[in-house]
mmCIF file of all heavy atoms in Angstrom:
data_model
loop_
_atom_site.group_PDB
_atom_site.id
_atom_site.type_symbol
_atom_site.label_atom_id
_atom_site.label_comp_id
_atom_site.label_asym_id
_atom_site.label_seq_id
_atom_site.Cartn_x
_atom_site.Cartn_y
_atom_site.Cartn_z
ATOM 1 N N VAL A 47 28.434 11.670 11.215
ATOM 2 C CA VAL A 47 27.399 12.619 10.796
ATOM 3 C C VAL A 47 26.057 12.234 11.413
ATOM 4 O O VAL A 47 25.293 13.104 11.876
ATOM 5 C CB VAL A 47 27.303 12.675 9.261
ATOM 6 C CG1 VAL A 47 26.136 13.561 8.825
ATOM 7 C CG2 VAL A 47 28.610 13.191 8.666
ATOM 8 N N LEU A 48 25.747 10.944 11.450
ATOM 9 C CA LEU A 48 24.510 10.481 12.090
ATOM 10 C C LEU A 48 24.481 10.894 13.561
ATOM 11 O O LEU A 48 23.469 11.417 14.051
ATOM 12 C CB LEU A 48 24.391 8.961 11.993
ATOM 13 C CG LEU A 48 23.983 8.341 10.665
ATOM 14 C CD1 LEU A 48 23.982 6.826 10.789
ATOM 15 C CD2 LEU A 48 22.609 8.832 10.222
ATOM 16 N N ARG A 49 25.565 10.641 14.258
ATOM 17 C CA ARG A 49 25.619 10.944 15.695
ATOM 18 C C ARG A 49 25.422 12.436 15.941
ATOM 19 O O ARG A 49 24.679 12.833 16.848
ATOM 20 C CB ARG A 49 26.952 10.477 16.267
ATOM 21 C CG ARG A 49 27.178 8.966 16.222
ATOM 22 C CD ARG A 49 28.461 8.604 16.957
ATOM 23 N NE ARG A 49 28.815 7.198 16.791
ATOM 24 C CZ ARG A 49 29.754 6.744 15.957
ATOM 25 N NH1 ARG A 49 30.456 7.605 15.222
ATOM 26 N NH2 ARG A 49 30.021 5.459 15.874
ATOM 27 N N GLU A 50 26.084 13.246 15.138
ATOM 28 C CA GLU A 50 25.983 14.693 15.326
ATOM 29 C C GLU A 50 24.564 15.201 15.093
ATOM 30 O O GLU A 50 24.123 16.169 15.730
ATOM 31 C CB GLU A 50 26.945 15.398 14.363
ATOM 32 C CG GLU A 50 28.407 15.190 14.701
ATOM 33 C CD GLU A 50 29.333 15.641 13.590
ATOM 34 O OE1 GLU A 50 28.824 16.172 12.579
ATOM 35 O OE2 GLU A 50 30.561 15.457 13.718
ATOM 36 N N ALA A 51 23.835 14.525 14.201
ATOM 37 C CA ALA A 51 22.467 14.949 13.882
ATOM 38 C C ALA A 51 21.424 14.315 14.803
ATOM 39 O O ALA A 51 20.244 14.675 14.734
ATOM 40 C CB ALA A 51 22.145 14.587 12.432
ATOM 41 N N GLY A 52 21.842 13.381 15.652
ATOM 42 C CA GLY A 52 20.885 12.669 16.490
ATOM 43 C C GLY A 52 20.025 11.708 15.686
ATOM 44 O O GLY A 52 18.893 11.401 16.069
ATOM 45 N N ALA A 53 20.574 11.240 14.571
ATOM 46 C CA ALA A 53 19.848 10.335 13.682
ATOM 47 C C ALA A 53 20.366 8.912 13.845
ATOM 48 O O ALA A 53 21.419 8.675 14.443
ATOM 49 C CB ALA A 53 19.999 10.785 12.233
ATOM 50 N N THR A 54 19.626 7.960 13.294
ATOM 51 C CA THR A 54 20.035 6.561 13.316
ATOM 52 C C THR A 54 20.122 6.041 11.882
ATOM 53 O O THR A 54 19.694 6.694 10.933
ATOM 54 C CB THR A 54 19.050 5.700 14.121
ATOM 55 O OG1 THR A 54 17.741 5.829 13.551
ATOM 56 C CG2 THR A 54 19.014 6.135 15.576
ATOM 57 N N SER A 55 20.664 4.842 11.753
ATOM 58 C CA SER A 55 20.879 4.255 10.432
ATOM 59 C C SER A 55 19.838 3.181 10.123
ATOM 60 O O SER A 55 19.687 2.228 10.884
ATOM 61 C CB SER A 55 22.269 3.627 10.339
ATOM 62 O OG SER A 55 22.398 2.879 9.143
ATOM 63 N N PRO A 56 19.138 3.297 8.986
ATOM 64 C CA PRO A 56 18.254 2.217 8.564
ATOM 65 C C PRO A 56 19.026 1.067 7.921
ATOM 66 O O PRO A 56 18.456 -0.001 7.676
ATOM 67 C CB PRO A 56 17.340 2.902 7.537
ATOM 68 C CG PRO A 56 18.160 4.005 6.966
ATOM 69 C CD PRO A 56 19.063 4.463 8.080
ATOM 70 N N PHE A 57 20.329 1.266 7.647
ATOM 71 C CA PHE A 57 21.156 0.218 7.056
ATOM 72 C C PHE A 57 21.707 -0.734 8.110
ATOM 73 O O PHE A 57 21.695 -1.948 7.924
ATOM 74 C CB PHE A 57 22.343 0.831 6.298
ATOM 75 C CG PHE A 57 22.013 1.545 5.022
ATOM 76 C CD1 PHE A 57 20.719 1.918 4.701
ATOM 77 C CD2 PHE A 57 23.018 1.880 4.132
ATOM 78 C CE1 PHE A 57 20.429 2.600 3.519
ATOM 79 C CE2 PHE A 57 22.748 2.546 2.943
ATOM 80 C CZ PHE A 57 21.452 2.905 2.637
ATOM 81 N N LEU A 58 22.216 -0.162 9.195
ATOM 82 C CA LEU A 58 22.884 -0.957 10.219
ATOM 83 C C LEU A 58 21.908 -1.962 10.840
ATOM 84 O O LEU A 58 20.877 -1.589 11.393
ATOM 85 C CB LEU A 58 23.447 -0.031 11.300
ATOM 86 C CG LEU A 58 24.241 -0.691 12.419
ATOM 87 C CD1 LEU A 58 25.491 -1.372 11.877
ATOM 88 C CD2 LEU A 58 24.626 0.349 13.482
ATOM 89 N N GLY A 59 22.235 -3.244 10.727
ATOM 90 C CA GLY A 59 21.383 -4.295 11.278
ATOM 91 C C GLY A 59 20.250 -4.730 10.369
ATOM 92 O O GLY A 59 19.489 -5.641 10.716
ATOM 93 N N TYR A 60 20.128 -4.104 9.202
ATOM 94 C CA TYR A 60 19.055 -4.459 8.261
ATOM 95 C C TYR A 60 19.310 -5.853 7.707
ATOM 96 O O TYR A 60 20.419 -6.179 7.270
ATOM 97 C CB TYR A 60 19.013 -3.427 7.135
ATOM 98 C CG TYR A 60 17.946 -3.662 6.091
ATOM 99 C CD1 TYR A 60 16.607 -3.701 6.438
ATOM 100 C CD2 TYR A 60 18.299 -3.831 4.751
ATOM 101 C CE1 TYR A 60 15.625 -3.896 5.473
ATOM 102 C CE2 TYR A 60 17.325 -4.021 3.779
ATOM 103 C CZ TYR A 60 15.994 -4.065 4.148
ATOM 104 O OH TYR A 60 15.024 -4.264 3.192
ATOM 105 N N ARG A 61 18.261 -6.686 7.701
ATOM 106 C CA ARG A 61 18.427 -8.055 7.200
ATOM 107 C C ARG A 61 17.195 -8.484 6.415
ATOM 108 O O ARG A 61 16.247 -9.047 6.974
ATOM 109 C CB ARG A 61 18.684 -9.036 8.337
ATOM 110 C CG ARG A 61 19.054 -10.432 7.825
ATOM 111 C CD ARG A 61 19.344 -11.406 8.940
ATOM 112 N NE ARG A 61 19.759 -12.696 8.402
ATOM 113 C CZ ARG A 61 20.048 -13.769 9.145
ATOM 114 N NH1 ARG A 61 19.945 -13.699 10.477
ATOM 115 N NH2 ARG A 61 20.413 -14.896 8.572
ATOM 116 N N PRO A 62 17.196 -8.244 5.103
ATOM 117 C CA PRO A 62 16.108 -8.748 4.264
ATOM 118 C C PRO A 62 16.230 -10.257 4.093
ATOM 119 O O PRO A 62 17.214 -10.880 4.539
ATOM 120 C CB PRO A 62 16.333 -8.024 2.932
ATOM 121 C CG PRO A 62 17.793 -7.711 2.923
ATOM 122 C CD PRO A 62 18.188 -7.480 4.350
ATOM 123 N N SER A 63 15.265 -10.864 3.436
ATOM 124 C CA SER A 63 15.200 -12.318 3.357
ATOM 125 C C SER A 63 16.403 -12.942 2.660
ATOM 126 O O SER A 63 16.798 -14.068 2.966
ATOM 127 C CB SER A 63 13.922 -12.735 2.635
ATOM 128 O OG SER A 63 13.873 -12.182 1.327
ATOM 129 N N PHE A 64 17.029 -12.223 1.721
ATOM 130 C CA PHE A 64 18.145 -12.814 0.974
ATOM 131 C C PHE A 64 19.459 -12.779 1.728
ATOM 132 O O PHE A 64 20.433 -13.447 1.349
ATOM 133 C CB PHE A 64 18.328 -12.093 -0.376
ATOM 134 C CG PHE A 64 18.810 -10.677 -0.269
ATOM 135 C CD1 PHE A 64 20.151 -10.377 -0.057
ATOM 136 C CD2 PHE A 64 17.909 -9.623 -0.379
ATOM 137 C CE1 PHE A 64 20.581 -9.060 0.050
ATOM 138 C CE2 PHE A 64 18.330 -8.307 -0.293
ATOM 139 C CZ PHE A 64 19.678 -8.025 -0.076
ATOM 140 N N ALA A 65 19.530 -11.980 2.789
ATOM 141 C CA ALA A 65 20.811 -11.721 3.439
ATOM 142 C C ALA A 65 21.164 -12.793 4.458
ATOM 143 O O ALA A 65 20.336 -13.150 5.309
ATOM 144 C CB ALA A 65 20.782 -10.364 4.115
ATOM 145 N N PRO A 66 22.389 -13.309 4.425
ATOM 146 C CA PRO A 66 22.798 -14.326 5.404
ATOM 147 C C PRO A 66 23.042 -13.757 6.788
ATOM 148 O O PRO A 66 22.929 -14.472 7.790
ATOM 149 C CB PRO A 66 24.093 -14.887 4.802
ATOM 150 C CG PRO A 66 24.651 -13.758 3.991
ATOM 151 C CD PRO A 66 23.453 -13.040 3.430
#
Side-chain angles (χ1 to χ4, degrees):
V47 175
L48 284 178
R49 296 186 188 102
E50 291 168 3
T54 58
S55 171
F57 289 15
L58 183 63
Y60 180 59
R61 188 179 183 182
S63 59
F64 68 80

